[in-house]
Structure formats: C-alpha cells, structure tokens
Amino acid sequence: MKLDLHCHSNASDGELSAPELIRLAEKNAVDVLSITDHDTLAAYSKIDRNALPVLLIPGVEFSTTWRGIGIHVLGLRVDPTHPSMLHAVEAQQAARFERAMIIATRLEKLGFPGCLEAASDLAAGDQIGRPHFARHLVNCGVVKNISAAFKKYLGPGKPGDVKTTWASMEQIIKWTNEADGSAVLAHPLHYKLTRSKLLALLNEFRETGGKAMEVVSGNQTQKETGELAAMSRTSGLLASTGSDFHMHQKHGCELGCARDLPASCTPLWTSWF
Ligand code: AMP
Ligand code: MN
Ligand code: MN
Ligand code: MN
C-alpha cells in the first residue's frame, strides 16, 4: 500500500488544484492521499467525494510556534466540519493575514512598496504566504529566483520571517484532537535543531497530545530516515510519511515518491484500516 500524507494544492502554495493532485496521485499509484495545505481545508470543498481513485484522508498543515521557533504540525484524518477545526482554520487565517501585513510593511521599509496587494493577487483568494511574496519579488526583478527571495528577505532571521501571530503548538494539537484527528510533527529535520532540542520538542509534542512524527519526508537521505526512525521509537511517537509535494521540480520529491517507512517503525495508520 502506497501512502502520501503530506502535499499541497493551490489552496495554499502548491501548483496543482485538488482534482489535479488526485489525478496525479492515481497516475503515481498512490492508494492513500492526504492534501495538507497550509492552515486551510479549502481543498476538500473543491473535490467530488464520489468515485475517487484514491482513499482521501482530510488533512491540514498548521503553522505554529514552540519556544519561539516556527514549527509545522499536520492535522491528519480530522473531521473538516468539526467546530474546533473551523475555529482553528479561521484563527490561523486571521494570523496569516496579520502576518502578511507585517511582512509587507517591513518590505516597504526596505524600498519595496505594494507587496501586500501584489502577493494577494498572486494568492488569488487562497492562503497568502511567503511564497507569494517571493514570487512577487522575482516578478519585479528584485531577486533572480524564489530561493534567493527566501535567502535574502523571507527566510529564517530575515525581515519577512514573522512568526509571532500563530497559535501555540499545544493549542493546535488540542484543536486537532478535538476534531478526531491525529497531530503529526511535520519534517522534524527542517527546523535545524540541536539533537537535545529536537528530543525536547518530540517529548513535549507527545506529552501535549501529539500522536506521530514524519519519519519520512520528501527526499531526505536514508541516514536521516534512520535517525528519525530511532527517535520515533524512543519518543513513543508513531511514524508518518509524506512527499511535501508542492510542484514538479528538478530535485524535488514527486507526489507519492517518498521512500517507504523503515520496517522498525509503527505506522500512524495501523489502526485506520
Ligand atoms: P509560509 O507558510 O507562508 O510561512 O511559507 C512557508 C512555505 O514557503 C514552505 O511551506 C515552503 O513551501 C516555502 N519555502 C520555505 N523556504 C523556502 C525556500 N528556501 N525556498 C523556496 N520555498 C521555500
Ligand atoms: Mn509550502
Ligand atoms: Mn512545512
Ligand atoms: Mn508542507
């Protein structure tokens, strides 16, 4: 059985619409798919739930903070209509818009006016995020590419790195559990934490109601997967997997193409089927 429990549609910063993602999942022989857009479940209202070629698991990737560090938490197999999920998504959308205004103000101070309007146009009514600001900076010739936009203006420690407005990790886990979902720590190695800090994060994640961690994420190395598998066993968190697919990219992980979980792991979905 092939699962991909982390990817993005154009309801956030992915390239494909939800129906296009589902067609691609079918092409890539994915059996179980979760579309996990940043802070929105909007993809699920764009899908005809009848006769789907894959088993679709409702999901969302929440932005949050832990000890002042930006952390992403997946809410998987949530009830998208549960009041706690509706509330979570609404609060996060407000936080996202507030953050966008702060990012635009900071960029204006650097000599780039009109960024909020331009990024909003690029988001076209969907979740506005740093990738939309990045695309705008590329479009105006401020930087050569998206990667340079993050490196110079939007990435960690740069003016556009504003993360003070998100709900806390504990709150996000609580909302996810209330909506009958499983909270999963996304891509644990992205945060570049020291080993002891990462272990503290995993511990607190489990203690506050988190269920699992991504042991496989995108194109990480087998060595990294082995390290995360060991941490999943010792921390008491179940293991999950996902490509974090956003768009077709030369060195990116394609939808459904992340490596299998190591056999030593206990998968999150053992109790699902
Ligand atoms: P946001 O949700 O608005 O905080 O934006 C975060 C998203 O930006 C991530 O989910 C990635 O899709 C994208 N991103 C983050 N860092 C980079 C980078 N260095 N280059 C390209 N995209 C990035
Ligand atoms: Mn993204
Ligand atoms: Mn993420
Ligand atoms: Mn993601």
Short mmCIF file of all heavy atoms in Angstrom, two decimals, residues 58-115:
data_model
loop_
_atom_site.label_atom_id
_atom_site.label_comp_id
_atom_site.label_asym_id
_atom_site.label_seq_id
_atom_site.Cartn_x
_atom_site.Cartn_y
_atom_site.Cartn_z
N PRO A 58 -8.73 13.56 5.04
CA PRO A 58 -8.71 15.01 5.25
C PRO A 58 -7.53 15.44 6.14
O PRO A 58 -7.29 14.83 7.19
CB PRO A 58 -10.04 15.30 5.94
CG PRO A 58 -10.91 14.13 5.61
CD PRO A 58 -9.99 12.95 5.50
N GLY A 59 -6.81 16.46 5.69
CA GLY A 59 -5.65 16.91 6.46
C GLY A 59 -5.35 18.38 6.24
O GLY A 59 -5.91 19.04 5.35
N VAL A 60 -4.48 18.90 7.09
CA VAL A 60 -4.11 20.32 7.05
C VAL A 60 -2.72 20.44 7.68
O VAL A 60 -2.36 19.64 8.53
CB VAL A 60 -5.18 21.17 7.79
CG1 VAL A 60 -5.46 20.63 9.19
CG2 VAL A 60 -4.82 22.64 7.86
N GLU A 61 -1.91 21.39 7.20
CA GLU A 61 -0.60 21.64 7.82
C GLU A 61 -0.67 22.98 8.54
O GLU A 61 -0.74 24.03 7.90
CB GLU A 61 0.53 21.65 6.77
CG GLU A 61 1.91 21.89 7.41
CD GLU A 61 3.07 21.78 6.43
OE1 GLU A 61 2.85 21.83 5.20
OE2 GLU A 61 4.22 21.64 6.91
N PHE A 62 -0.63 22.92 9.87
CA PHE A 62 -0.73 24.14 10.67
C PHE A 62 0.64 24.75 10.90
O PHE A 62 1.61 24.05 11.19
CB PHE A 62 -1.36 23.84 12.03
CG PHE A 62 -2.85 23.59 11.98
CD1 PHE A 62 -3.36 22.37 12.37
CD2 PHE A 62 -3.73 24.57 11.55
CE1 PHE A 62 -4.73 22.13 12.34
CE2 PHE A 62 -5.09 24.35 11.52
CZ PHE A 62 -5.59 23.12 11.91
N SER A 63 0.69 26.09 10.82
CA SER A 63 1.89 26.83 11.21
C SER A 63 1.74 27.14 12.69
O SER A 63 0.66 27.55 13.13
CB SER A 63 1.96 28.15 10.45
OG SER A 63 1.73 27.95 9.08
N THR A 64 2.79 26.95 13.45
CA THR A 64 2.70 27.21 14.88
C THR A 64 4.08 27.57 15.42
O THR A 64 5.06 27.59 14.67
CB THR A 64 2.10 25.97 15.60
OG1 THR A 64 2.05 26.24 17.00
CG2 THR A 64 2.92 24.73 15.37
N THR A 65 4.14 27.88 16.71
CA THR A 65 5.46 28.17 17.29
C THR A 65 5.65 27.39 18.58
O THR A 65 4.70 27.13 19.33
CB THR A 65 5.63 29.67 17.62
OG1 THR A 65 4.47 30.14 18.29
CG2 THR A 65 5.85 30.49 16.38
N TRP A 66 6.87 26.99 18.79
CA TRP A 66 7.28 26.31 20.03
C TRP A 66 8.61 26.94 20.44
O TRP A 66 9.55 26.96 19.65
CB TRP A 66 7.45 24.81 19.75
CG TRP A 66 8.03 24.05 20.88
CD1 TRP A 66 7.39 23.62 22.01
CD2 TRP A 66 9.39 23.59 21.01
NE1 TRP A 66 8.25 22.94 22.82
CE2 TRP A 66 9.49 22.90 22.24
CE3 TRP A 66 10.54 23.69 20.21
CZ2 TRP A 66 10.68 22.33 22.68
CZ3 TRP A 66 11.71 23.12 20.65
CH2 TRP A 66 11.78 22.45 21.87
N ARG A 67 8.63 27.49 21.65
CA ARG A 67 9.82 28.20 22.15
C ARG A 67 10.33 29.23 21.13
O ARG A 67 11.55 29.33 20.88
CB ARG A 67 10.94 27.22 22.48
CG ARG A 67 10.59 26.25 23.61
CD ARG A 67 11.82 25.49 24.05
NE ARG A 67 11.46 24.43 25.00
CZ ARG A 67 12.32 23.54 25.45
NH1 ARG A 67 13.59 23.56 25.07
NH2 ARG A 67 11.95 22.61 26.30
N GLY A 68 9.39 29.89 20.47
CA GLY A 68 9.75 30.94 19.52
C GLY A 68 10.24 30.43 18.16
O GLY A 68 10.61 31.22 17.30
N ILE A 69 10.20 29.12 17.98
CA ILE A 69 10.66 28.54 16.70
C ILE A 69 9.43 28.17 15.86
O ILE A 69 8.45 27.62 16.40
CB ILE A 69 11.51 27.27 16.96
CG1 ILE A 69 12.69 27.59 17.87
CG2 ILE A 69 11.97 26.63 15.66
CD1 ILE A 69 13.27 26.37 18.55
N GLY A 70 9.46 28.47 14.58
CA GLY A 70 8.35 28.12 13.69
C GLY A 70 8.33 26.62 13.46
O GLY A 70 9.30 26.05 12.98
N ILE A 71 7.22 25.98 13.83
CA ILE A 71 7.09 24.52 13.72
C ILE A 71 5.81 24.22 12.94
O ILE A 71 4.80 24.90 13.14
CB ILE A 71 6.98 23.89 15.15
CG1 ILE A 71 8.21 24.19 16.00
CG2 ILE A 71 6.68 22.39 15.09
CD1 ILE A 71 9.46 23.45 15.65
N HIS A 72 5.85 23.21 12.08
CA HIS A 72 4.66 22.81 11.33
C HIS A 72 4.08 21.51 11.89
O HIS A 72 4.81 20.55 12.12
CB HIS A 72 4.99 22.63 9.84
CG HIS A 72 5.18 23.94 9.14
ND1 HIS A 72 5.51 24.04 7.81
CD2 HIS A 72 5.06 25.21 9.59
CE1 HIS A 72 5.59 25.33 7.48
NE2 HIS A 72 5.33 26.05 8.54
N VAL A 73 2.77 21.52 12.09
CA VAL A 73 2.07 20.35 12.64
C VAL A 73 0.95 19.96 11.69
O VAL A 73 0.11 20.79 11.34
CB VAL A 73 1.49 20.67 14.04
CG1 VAL A 73 0.63 19.51 14.54
CG2 VAL A 73 2.60 20.98 15.04
N LEU A 74 0.95 18.69 11.28
CA LEU A 74 -0.13 18.20 10.42
C LEU A 74 -1.29 17.75 11.30
O LEU A 74 -1.07 17.08 12.32
CB LEU A 74 0.34 17.01 9.59
CG LEU A 74 1.51 17.23 8.65
CD1 LEU A 74 1.93 15.89 8.02
CD2 LEU A 74 1.16 18.22 7.55
N GLY A 75 -2.49 18.12 10.89
CA GLY A 75 -3.69 17.54 11.49
C GLY A 75 -4.22 16.55 10.47
O GLY A 75 -4.70 16.94 9.41
N LEU A 76 -4.08 15.25 10.75
CA LEU A 76 -4.49 14.24 9.77
C LEU A 76 -5.75 13.51 10.21
O LEU A 76 -5.95 13.27 11.41
CB LEU A 76 -3.37 13.20 9.57
CG LEU A 76 -2.09 13.68 8.88
CD1 LEU A 76 -1.12 12.51 8.70
CD2 LEU A 76 -2.37 14.34 7.54
N ARG A 77 -6.55 13.15 9.21
CA ARG A 77 -7.81 12.42 9.44
C ARG A 77 -8.72 13.20 10.38
O ARG A 77 -9.38 12.64 11.25
CB ARG A 77 -7.51 11.04 10.01
CG ARG A 77 -8.51 9.98 9.54
CD ARG A 77 -7.98 8.61 9.85
NE ARG A 77 -8.91 7.56 9.50
CZ ARG A 77 -9.41 6.68 10.37
NH1 ARG A 77 -9.08 6.73 11.64
NH2 ARG A 77 -10.23 5.74 9.95
N VAL A 78 -8.69 14.52 10.22
CA VAL A 78 -9.57 15.37 11.02
C VAL A 78 -10.97 15.37 10.40
O VAL A 78 -11.14 15.04 9.22
CB VAL A 78 -9.07 16.84 11.06
CG1 VAL A 78 -7.79 16.97 11.86
CG2 VAL A 78 -8.89 17.41 9.65
N ASP A 79 -11.95 15.73 11.21
CA ASP A 79 -13.29 15.98 10.68
C ASP A 79 -13.29 17.44 10.25
O ASP A 79 -13.26 18.34 11.09
CB ASP A 79 -14.31 15.72 11.80
CG ASP A 79 -15.70 16.22 11.42
OD1 ASP A 79 -15.87 16.73 10.29
OD2 ASP A 79 -16.61 16.11 12.26
N PRO A 80 -13.29 17.71 8.92
CA PRO A 80 -13.14 19.10 8.45
C PRO A 80 -14.30 19.99 8.86
O PRO A 80 -14.19 21.21 8.79
CB PRO A 80 -13.07 18.98 6.93
CG PRO A 80 -13.06 17.54 6.60
CD PRO A 80 -13.48 16.76 7.81
N THR A 81 -15.43 19.38 9.27
CA THR A 81 -16.59 20.19 9.63
C THR A 81 -16.71 20.39 11.14
O THR A 81 -17.63 21.05 11.62
CB THR A 81 -17.90 19.52 9.13
OG1 THR A 81 -18.03 18.27 9.81
CG2 THR A 81 -17.87 19.29 7.62
N HIS A 82 -15.79 19.81 11.91
CA HIS A 82 -15.86 19.94 13.37
C HIS A 82 -15.65 21.41 13.79
O HIS A 82 -14.77 22.07 13.26
CB HIS A 82 -14.78 19.06 14.01
CG HIS A 82 -14.97 18.90 15.49
ND1 HIS A 82 -14.64 19.88 16.38
CD2 HIS A 82 -15.47 17.88 16.22
CE1 HIS A 82 -14.94 19.47 17.60
NE2 HIS A 82 -15.44 18.25 17.53
N PRO A 83 -16.44 21.91 14.75
CA PRO A 83 -16.31 23.31 15.16
C PRO A 83 -14.87 23.69 15.54
O PRO A 83 -14.44 24.82 15.24
CB PRO A 83 -17.24 23.41 16.37
CG PRO A 83 -18.24 22.32 16.18
CD PRO A 83 -17.56 21.22 15.43
N SER A 84 -14.13 22.78 16.16
CA SER A 84 -12.74 23.11 16.54
C SER A 84 -11.86 23.32 15.31
O SER A 84 -10.96 24.16 15.32
CB SER A 84 -12.14 21.99 17.40
OG SER A 84 -12.76 22.00 18.65
N MET A 85 -12.13 22.55 14.25
CA MET A 85 -11.33 22.73 13.01
C MET A 85 -11.72 24.03 12.33
O MET A 85 -10.85 24.77 11.85
CB MET A 85 -11.60 21.56 12.08
CG MET A 85 -10.52 20.60 11.72
SD MET A 85 -8.82 21.07 11.79
CE MET A 85 -8.38 20.69 13.46
N LEU A 86 -13.01 24.31 12.29
CA LEU A 86 -13.46 25.55 11.65
C LEU A 86 -12.85 26.74 12.40
O LEU A 86 -12.37 27.70 11.80
CB LEU A 86 -14.99 25.65 11.66
CG LEU A 86 -15.73 24.52 10.91
CD1 LEU A 86 -17.24 24.71 11.02
CD2 LEU A 86 -15.30 24.47 9.44
N HIS A 87 -12.83 26.63 13.73
CA HIS A 87 -12.27 27.70 14.56
C HIS A 87 -10.76 27.83 14.33
O HIS A 87 -10.23 28.93 14.18
CB HIS A 87 -12.58 27.43 16.02
CG HIS A 87 -12.06 28.48 16.93
ND1 HIS A 87 -12.56 29.76 16.94
CD2 HIS A 87 -11.06 28.46 17.84
CE1 HIS A 87 -11.90 30.48 17.82
NE2 HIS A 87 -10.96 29.71 18.38
N ALA A 88 -10.08 26.67 14.28
CA ALA A 88 -8.62 26.66 14.09
C ALA A 88 -8.25 27.33 12.77
O ALA A 88 -7.38 28.21 12.71
CB ALA A 88 -8.10 25.21 14.10
N VAL A 89 -8.95 26.93 11.71
CA VAL A 89 -8.65 27.45 10.38
C VAL A 89 -8.93 28.96 10.31
O VAL A 89 -8.14 29.73 9.75
CB VAL A 89 -9.46 26.65 9.32
CG1 VAL A 89 -9.56 27.39 8.03
CG2 VAL A 89 -8.84 25.27 9.12
N GLU A 90 -10.01 29.37 10.98
CA GLU A 90 -10.36 30.79 10.98
C GLU A 90 -9.29 31.61 11.72
O GLU A 90 -8.84 32.65 11.23
CB GLU A 90 -11.73 30.95 11.65
CG GLU A 90 -12.39 32.27 11.35
CD GLU A 90 -13.69 32.43 12.15
OE1 GLU A 90 -14.34 31.40 12.44
OE2 GLU A 90 -14.02 33.55 12.48
N ALA A 91 -8.88 31.10 12.89
CA ALA A 91 -7.86 31.81 13.68
C ALA A 91 -6.53 31.88 12.93
O ALA A 91 -5.86 32.92 12.90
CB ALA A 91 -7.66 31.09 15.02
N GLN A 92 -6.18 30.78 12.28
CA GLN A 92 -4.90 30.74 11.55
C GLN A 92 -4.94 31.65 10.31
O GLN A 92 -3.95 32.27 9.95
CB GLN A 92 -4.57 29.31 11.13
CG GLN A 92 -4.23 28.40 12.29
CD GLN A 92 -2.87 28.70 12.90
OE1 GLN A 92 -2.78 29.41 13.89
NE2 GLN A 92 -1.81 28.18 12.33
N GLN A 93 -6.12 31.73 9.67
CA GLN A 93 -6.23 32.60 8.50
C GLN A 93 -6.08 34.06 8.91
O GLN A 93 -5.44 34.84 8.22
CB GLN A 93 -7.55 32.36 7.78
CG GLN A 93 -7.50 31.06 6.99
CD GLN A 93 -8.78 30.74 6.24
OE1 GLN A 93 -9.71 31.54 6.21
NE2 GLN A 93 -8.82 29.57 5.64
N ALA A 94 -6.67 34.41 10.07
CA ALA A 94 -6.55 35.78 10.57
C ALA A 94 -5.07 36.05 10.88
O ALA A 94 -4.54 37.12 10.54
CB ALA A 94 -7.41 35.96 11.80
N ALA A 95 -4.41 35.08 11.50
CA ALA A 95 -2.99 35.23 11.84
C ALA A 95 -2.14 35.39 10.57
O ALA A 95 -1.22 36.19 10.49
CB ALA A 95 -2.51 34.02 12.63
N ARG A 96 -2.51 34.61 9.54
CA ARG A 96 -1.78 34.65 8.27
C ARG A 96 -1.91 36.03 7.61
O ARG A 96 -0.94 36.58 7.09
CB ARG A 96 -2.34 33.57 7.35
CG ARG A 96 -1.39 33.08 6.31
CD ARG A 96 -1.88 31.77 5.71
NE ARG A 96 -1.07 30.67 6.16
CZ ARG A 96 0.15 30.41 5.71
NH1 ARG A 96 0.71 31.16 4.78
NH2 ARG A 96 0.83 29.40 6.16
N PHE A 97 -3.13 36.58 7.68
CA PHE A 97 -3.33 37.88 7.04
C PHE A 97 -2.60 38.99 7.82
O PHE A 97 -1.95 39.86 7.24
CB PHE A 97 -4.82 38.22 6.90
CG PHE A 97 -5.03 39.44 6.06
CD1 PHE A 97 -4.74 39.42 4.70
CD2 PHE A 97 -5.44 40.63 6.62
CE1 PHE A 97 -4.87 40.56 3.92
CE2 PHE A 97 -5.57 41.78 5.86
CZ PHE A 97 -5.29 41.74 4.50
N GLU A 98 -2.68 38.88 9.15
CA GLU A 98 -1.99 39.86 10.01
C GLU A 98 -0.48 39.79 9.73
O GLU A 98 0.20 40.81 9.59
CB GLU A 98 -2.27 39.48 11.46
CG GLU A 98 -1.95 40.54 12.48
CD GLU A 98 -2.24 40.01 13.88
OE1 GLU A 98 -3.35 39.47 14.08
OE2 GLU A 98 -1.36 40.10 14.73
N ARG A 99 0.05 38.58 9.61
CA ARG A 99 1.47 38.41 9.32
C ARG A 99 1.82 38.99 7.95
O ARG A 99 2.85 39.63 7.78
CB ARG A 99 1.84 36.91 9.35
CG ARG A 99 3.32 36.68 9.15
CD ARG A 99 3.65 35.19 9.03
NE ARG A 99 3.12 34.64 7.79
CZ ARG A 99 3.66 33.63 7.13
NH1 ARG A 99 4.74 33.04 7.59
NH2 ARG A 99 3.11 33.20 6.03
N ALA A 100 0.92 38.78 6.97
CA ALA A 100 1.19 39.30 5.62
C ALA A 100 1.32 40.81 5.65
O ALA A 100 2.18 41.40 4.96
CB ALA A 100 0.07 38.87 4.66
N MET A 101 0.48 41.46 6.48
CA MET A 101 0.55 42.93 6.56
C MET A 101 1.90 43.36 7.17
O MET A 101 2.51 44.32 6.71
CB MET A 101 -0.62 43.47 7.39
CG MET A 101 -1.93 43.34 6.64
SD MET A 101 -3.26 44.32 7.34
CE MET A 101 -3.55 43.50 8.86
N ILE A 102 2.36 42.61 8.18
CA ILE A 102 3.65 42.96 8.81
C ILE A 102 4.80 42.74 7.81
O ILE A 102 5.70 43.57 7.68
CB ILE A 102 3.88 42.13 10.10
CG1 ILE A 102 2.76 42.40 11.11
CG2 ILE A 102 5.24 42.45 10.72
CD1 ILE A 102 2.78 41.49 12.34
N ILE A 103 4.73 41.62 7.08
CA ILE A 103 5.78 41.35 6.08
C ILE A 103 5.83 42.49 5.06
O ILE A 103 6.90 43.01 4.73
CB ILE A 103 5.52 39.99 5.35
CG1 ILE A 103 5.67 38.82 6.33
CG2 ILE A 103 6.47 39.82 4.16
CD1 ILE A 103 5.30 37.46 5.74
N ALA A 104 4.62 42.90 4.59
CA ALA A 104 4.56 43.95 3.56
C ALA A 104 5.12 45.27 4.11
O ALA A 104 5.85 45.98 3.39
CB ALA A 104 3.13 44.13 3.09
N THR A 105 4.81 45.58 5.37
CA THR A 105 5.32 46.82 5.98
C THR A 105 6.84 46.78 6.05
O THR A 105 7.53 47.76 5.73
CB THR A 105 4.74 46.98 7.41
OG1 THR A 105 3.34 46.91 7.30
CG2 THR A 105 5.13 48.30 8.02
N ARG A 106 7.36 45.62 6.44
CA ARG A 106 8.83 45.50 6.53
C ARG A 106 9.48 45.61 5.15
O ARG A 106 10.54 46.22 5.00
CB ARG A 106 9.20 44.18 7.19
CG ARG A 106 8.85 44.15 8.66
CD ARG A 106 9.42 42.91 9.29
NE ARG A 106 9.08 42.81 10.70
CZ ARG A 106 9.46 41.80 11.47
NH1 ARG A 106 10.18 40.81 10.95
NH2 ARG A 106 9.13 41.76 12.73
N LEU A 107 8.84 45.00 4.14
CA LEU A 107 9.41 45.07 2.78
C LEU A 107 9.33 46.50 2.25
O LEU A 107 10.23 46.96 1.54
CB LEU A 107 8.68 44.10 1.84
CG LEU A 107 8.95 42.61 2.08
CD1 LEU A 107 8.08 41.74 1.18
CD2 LEU A 107 10.43 42.26 1.85
N GLU A 108 8.26 47.20 2.63
CA GLU A 108 8.12 48.59 2.18
C GLU A 108 9.27 49.44 2.74
O GLU A 108 9.84 50.27 2.03
CB GLU A 108 6.76 49.15 2.63
CG GLU A 108 6.55 50.57 2.12
CD GLU A 108 5.08 50.96 2.02
OE1 GLU A 108 4.21 50.19 2.47
OE2 GLU A 108 4.82 52.05 1.49
N LYS A 109 9.62 49.18 4.01
CA LYS A 109 10.72 49.91 4.64
C LYS A 109 12.04 49.65 3.92
O LYS A 109 12.96 50.44 3.96
CB LYS A 109 10.84 49.52 6.11
CG LYS A 109 9.82 50.26 6.95
CD LYS A 109 10.11 50.11 8.45
CE LYS A 109 8.95 50.68 9.24
NZ LYS A 109 8.54 49.84 10.36
N LEU A 110 12.12 48.47 3.28
CA LEU A 110 13.34 48.14 2.53
C LEU A 110 13.30 48.72 1.12
O LEU A 110 14.21 48.49 0.32
CB LEU A 110 13.51 46.62 2.46
CG LEU A 110 13.80 45.92 3.78
CD1 LEU A 110 13.75 44.40 3.60
CD2 LEU A 110 15.16 46.32 4.33
N GLY A 111 12.19 49.41 0.79
CA GLY A 111 12.12 50.07 -0.52
C GLY A 111 11.27 49.34 -1.54
O GLY A 111 11.36 49.61 -2.74
N PHE A 112 10.42 48.38 -1.04
CA PHE A 112 9.56 47.65 -1.98
C PHE A 112 8.08 47.87 -1.62
O PHE A 112 7.50 47.09 -0.87
CB PHE A 112 9.87 46.15 -1.96
CG PHE A 112 11.34 45.84 -2.04
CD1 PHE A 112 11.96 45.10 -1.05
CD2 PHE A 112 12.11 46.30 -3.10
CE1 PHE A 112 13.32 44.81 -1.12
CE2 PHE A 112 13.46 46.02 -3.18
CZ PHE A 112 14.07 45.28 -2.17
N PRO A 113 7.46 48.93 -2.15
CA PRO A 113 6.06 49.20 -1.81
C PRO A 113 5.10 48.28 -2.59
O PRO A 113 5.49 47.65 -3.57
CB PRO A 113 5.88 50.67 -2.23
CG PRO A 113 6.88 50.88 -3.30
CD PRO A 113 8.02 49.93 -3.07
N GLY A 114 3.86 48.21 -2.10
CA GLY A 114 2.80 47.50 -2.85
C GLY A 114 2.88 45.99 -2.80
O GLY A 114 2.22 45.30 -3.59
N CYS A 115 3.65 45.45 -1.86
CA CYS A 115 3.83 43.98 -1.84
C CYS A 115 2.58 43.24 -1.38
O CYS A 115 2.32 42.13 -1.83
CB CYS A 115 5.01 43.59 -0.95
SG CYS A 115 6.59 44.04 -1.68
#
